[in-house]
Amino acid sequence: MTDAKAYREQLQELRRKAPKGQQGLVLVYTGDGKGKTSAALGTALRAVGAGWRVAFLQFMKGAWKSAEENVIPLFGDQWLLRKLGRGFTWEHESLEEDRQAAQEAWAEAVQILQSGQYELVVLDEINYVLHYGFLDVEEVLDALRARPAHVHVVCTGRNAPEALVSFADLVTEMRKVKHPFDQGILAQQGIDY
Ligand code: ATP
Ligand code: MG
């Protein structure tokens, strides 16, 4: 049997067995290469195109306004973009303040996740917050287990914790092969933010 034929047969078998309707997935984009938030934005755009509502929730407060902030409002209620809580900066303040900020941010995210109003919920840079222990990974996994079954979730950020990786349905690791920063080229609007 050719590979193509075997693949088609496998696909037909999977289609027969697949549960009807949408099955919410957990997707993780991690690794030290560029493209994690970009991939989440691409997934969000596709979801909006499919007629879904998207909540794109940001755990980090960037130094610059990211250009996507100029276009997401064009999608109206279909695409919510929100900086959670007070937002983290990449510079740490006190550990206690960071923990508290994470809790506030997470409380907002949980509400949106459990409401079931958004078919896709992006938790941008949550991996970073988990990696530094500002948020408990078990608490996050409990909320993912308890979410409405049709809700898909994307988690981005470097250093995704092992427990999240093993829980997720899809994990893609962006691996740096080259980055312009290494030749001294700084971040540029339209590419990096
Ligand atoms: P992007 O938002 O461009 O998809 P990302 O989400 O994968 O990037 P982050 O870890 O969130 O990456 O960092 C965001 C910023 O850091 C971007 O400006 C990006 O170009 C830059 N960056 C990402 N990876 C690297 C790297 N390996 N070396 C230097 N800068 C990087
Ligand atoms: Mg990012």
Side-chain angles (χ1 to χ4, degrees):
M1 194 163 24
T2 63
D3 282 355
K5 187 154 182 272
Y7 174 71
R8 272 200 308 277
E9 282 180 8
Q10 201 184 352
L11 205 61
Q12 277 167 359
E13 177 69 10
L14 284 171
R15 284 206 183 107
R16 271 195 297 278
K17 286 189 191 154
K20 299 289 169 251
Q22 288 289 336
Q23 193 183 346
L25 300 172
V26 174
L27 290 70
V28 174
Y29 299 132
T30 192
D32 66 358
K34 173 177 161 62
K36 300 171 291 291
T37 298
S38 308
L41 286 167
T43 306
L45 182 71
R46 183 172 283 167
V48 167
W52 299 0
R53 271 149 309 177
V54 173
F56 198 102
L57 310 177
Q58 300 166 299
F59 279 85
M60 304 294 297
K61 196 164 62 180
W64 303 286
K65 182 179 171 183
S66 229
E68 54 268 26
E69 291 178 34
N70 299 328
V71 287
I72 293 174
L74 300 178
F75 295 93
D77 290 346
Q78 226 192 318
W79 191 339
L80 169 74
L81 175 67
R82 184 177 294 172
K83 285 192 175 64
L84 295 172
R86 287 174 262 168
F88 284 88
T89 57
W90 298 92
E91 281 114 52
H92 290 283
E93 290 161 36
S94 83
L95 203 63
E96 207 26 63
E97 270 185 54
D98 282 340
R99 279 222 180 87
Q100 210 178 331
Q103 290 305 321
E104 285 170 20
W106 176 240
E108 271 186 70
V110 167
Q111 271 202 341
I112 290 169
L113 188 67
Q114 308 304 13
S115 76
Q117 283 178 18
Y118 297 90
E119 286 89 346
L120 180 72
V121 177
V122 177
L123 304 171
D124 191 37
E125 310 302 346
I126 192 174
N127 299 344
Y128 175 90
V129 178
L130 289 168
H131 176 69
Y132 283 98
F134 300 142
L135 202 59
D136 179 24
V137 66
E138 287 307 323
E139 197 181 333
V140 171
L141 295 186
D142 283 345
L144 291 177
R145 282 187 202 101
R147 79 192 192 280
H150 67 282
V151 174
H152 301 267
V153 181
V154 175
C155 301
T156 84
R158 293 178 181 213
N159 303 116
E162 197 41 54
L164 177 62
V165 167
S166 91
F167 181 79
D169 301 291
L170 177 148
V171 180
T172 298
E173 185 174 339
M174 276 68 181
R175 181 174 67 88
K176 188 187 85 164
V177 178
K178 289 171 108 177
H179 192 290
F181 186 76
D182 300 339
Q183 343 165 22
I185 302 172
L186 299 180
Q188 303 185 60
Q189 188 169 36
I191 296 289
D192 296 295
Y193 65 95

